[in-house]
Amino acid sequence: MPAGPAPRIQVTGRARAGKTTVRHALSLISAEETSAVDDPGRPDPVLDADLLIYVLPGASNATDRRILATLPPDRTLVVLNKADAIGLRWADAAAAAENHSAALQLTVHPVIATLAARTRSGTVTDADLRTLHRHRDHPDPAFTLAPDLFTAPAIATDTADRQRLLARWPLYGISCALIALRHAPTLPAVTLLQILHSASGIDPLHTDLHHRYEQAATRLGT
């Protein structure tokens, strides 16, 4: 029996929610990225794909809730992107995702798409490791709370190295890497990359997406 057509995937959400970054983090090269659902003066995008990925940039607003109320739960995944900006710990982002899921009656995954995309396409270089090791025992962990704190000249003389590190990795990833190296200074680069990938939260989303994709393919083949 010939195989059916491949399921269509659409990635949607508000402007600047991180739709492109989420698509890259999931390696969804063929997925369709829609126009923003909050584009003034334009009609809502037609969301008729076999799988729908809706990207929330933190808290939902009235537009998100209006659109999501129209989407079929069995074909919709919600990505709570920029989870590193929610609270102070990953547990805060996980709790926010659970609250969103209960309110929306949809599956919601907390994700740091910028970190996930970097771990899929990049490597932890020797220069990255040297800079991280120089600061793994910094007496004030709060210096990773904001980019200007992390790159402040008063911290050390390697300002340019810290700026280059921040250009390559999001601050949350740097914070996770410093904690990991503080506990295990001999971690190799490949293991550190795996830790950062896990810290992005992308794997549970990818697993769920794969499961939904198989279900959609079965529906199309019947």
Side-chain angles (χ1 to χ4, degrees), residues 21 48 69 115 126 137 187:
T21 308
D48 58 357
L115 180 56
D126 290 342
D137 296 317
L187 277 177

Side-chain angles (χ1 to χ4, degrees), residues 99-122:
N99 292 337
H100 279 301
S101 183
L104 300 169
Q105 294 298 293
L106 293 165
T107 302
V108 181
H109 290 278
V111 167
I112 305 168
T114 53
L115 180 56
R118 296 290 177 87
T119 60
R120 285 197 182 280
S121 62

Side-chain angles (χ1 to χ4, degrees), residues 2-3 16 20 26 46 48 55 97-98 108 116 120 174 176 182 186 188-189 199 208:
R16 296 179 294 280
T20 301
L26 290 168
V46 177
D48 58 357
V55 184
E98 289 182 5
V108 181
R120 285 197 182 280
I174 293 172
C176 290
R182 198 173 300 135
T186 60
D208 197 357

Side-chain angles (χ1 to χ4, degrees), residues 50-130:
D50 304 296
L51 281 173
L52 300 162
I53 299 174
Y54 194 101
V55 184
L56 283 178
S60 63
N61 66 12
T63 298
D64 297 317
R65 293 188 289 273
R66 177 177 59 80
I67 298 291
L68 286 166
T70 69
L71 303 183
D74 63 325
R75 294 194 288 118
T76 304
L77 286 171
V78 181
V79 178
L80 183 59
N81 193 25
K82 306 179 184 181
D84 51 325
I86 301 173
L88 298 176
R89 302 169 299 173
W90 183 261
D92 298 324
E98 289 182 5
N99 292 337
H100 279 301
S101 183
L104 300 169
Q105 294 298 293
L106 293 165
T107 302
V108 181
H109 290 278
V111 167
I112 305 168
T114 53
L115 180 56
R118 296 290 177 87
T119 60
R120 285 197 182 280
S121 62
T123 58
V124 178
T125 66
D126 290 342
D128 293 339
L129 278 175
R130 286 194 296 271

Side-chain angles (χ1 to χ4, degrees), residues 7 9 26 28 51 53 74 77 109 120 202-219:
I9 302 176
L26 290 168
L28 295 176
L51 281 173
I53 299 174
D74 63 325
L77 286 171
H109 290 278
R120 285 197 182 280
I202 199 68
D203 282 340
L205 171 61
H206 190 271
T207 299
D208 197 357
L209 176 63
H210 180 72
H211 177 65
R212 302 286 187 106
Y213 188 90
E214 289 184 331
Q215 291 179 327
T218 299
R219 288 194 298 267

